[in-house]
Every structure is written in structure tokens, then in C-alpha cells.
Amino acid sequence: QVQVVESGGGLVQAGGSLRLACTVSGLTFDARAMGWFRQAPGKEREGVSCINWSGGITRYADSVKGRFTISRDNRKNTLYLQMNSLKPEDTAMYYCAASIYSTTTLTPANFGIWGQGTQVTVSS
């Protein structure tokens, strides 16, 4: 049974930091690209960042470049998202997703397995 479980969300003041984690089981984690997406109320889901199977290729949405860092630990089947200098507009439900490819772009259709999400709220 495949499980994708996010953690680390919460309430933080603007300028603060959070580190999200996503633990995956039931699939070959180290063969898949992974990604983080987010969805704010009333808005479409948007890609935040993705990383290829080895961690050697990362991509970021323009809105988070220089503030967020994606990483992975294949020994622990875990994906991370370090979020610094958080802004109120970063408030959203954040989802972890496993791609059907080993290397990918931030295209939701390239991701076949999704977690339930973790809420991030940034107060001004």
C-alpha cells in the first residue's frame, strides 16, 4: 500500500521559517522525482518545487526562488521543503507528490501519487 504523508506545517509569522517533510512508503522512492505543490483557498493548485530522483536537479516556481529549498534523503524515503522568509501569500495547503518519471518539471499531470497535505499559515 502506497502512503505519502506530509508533516511540518503550522502557523508562523511573516519572515519566519518552516520545514516540511514528506515520508513515502510502498513505492520505489529513489527512482522517482518528487514535488511540492500548494493550493490556497479559491485558487488553483500550483507547483512550488520539484527534485529529480538523485537530488541533482531541482526546479522552483519564481515566487519561491531564493526562499525555499527542496531536498531529499533516499535512505529515509523522505522529501523536504525548507521554507525561509515566509510571506502571507505563501499561506496554503502544501502537498507532496511522487512523479511517474525520474526527472520532471512542475507539471501536475506528471505526478501520480499525492499526499493529503499539510497546512501552512503565515500571519502578517
Side-chain angles (χ1 to χ4, degrees):
Q1 182 179 359
V2 177
Q3 285 192 315
V4 177
V5 180
E6 301 96 336
S7 62
L11 173 64
V12 64
Q13 288 188 331
S17 298
L18 283 173
R19 189 192 195 201
L20 305 185
C22 170
T23 302
V24 179
S25 60
L27 56 79
T28 309
F29 180 79
D30 60 3
R32 293 174 178 260
M34 297 291 298
W36 288 100
F37 293 79
R38 67 186 181 186
Q39 188 167 19
K43 295 187 177 181
E44 293 187 355
R45 186 172 295 190
E46 65 169 337
V48 175
S49 182
C50 63
I51 187 168
N52 78 324
W53 67 276
S54 68
I57 300 173
T58 57
R59 305 181 192 271
Y60 296 91
D62 288 342
S63 58
V64 306
K65 280 181 182 176
R67 300 188 298 122
F68 291 10
T69 302
I70 192 171
S71 61
R72 64 190 297 161
D73 186 338
N74 286 346
R75 298 167 300 173
K76 296 182 179 179
N77 282 15
T78 302
L79 176 73
Y80 302 99
L81 185 69
Q82 178 66 44
M83 306 187 295
N84 298 329
S85 301
L86 283 161
K87 304 175 181 180
E89 50 263 45
D90 294 318
T91 295
M93 185 70 79
Y94 282 71
Y95 298 91
C96 171
S99 177
I100 58 177
Y101 304 113
S102 59
T103 300
T104 185
T105 58
L106 277 170
T107 304
N110 290 350
F111 293 80
I113 301 171
W114 295 78
Q116 294 299 306
T118 185
Q119 178 68 39
V120 171
T121 303
V122 184
S123 63
S124 58

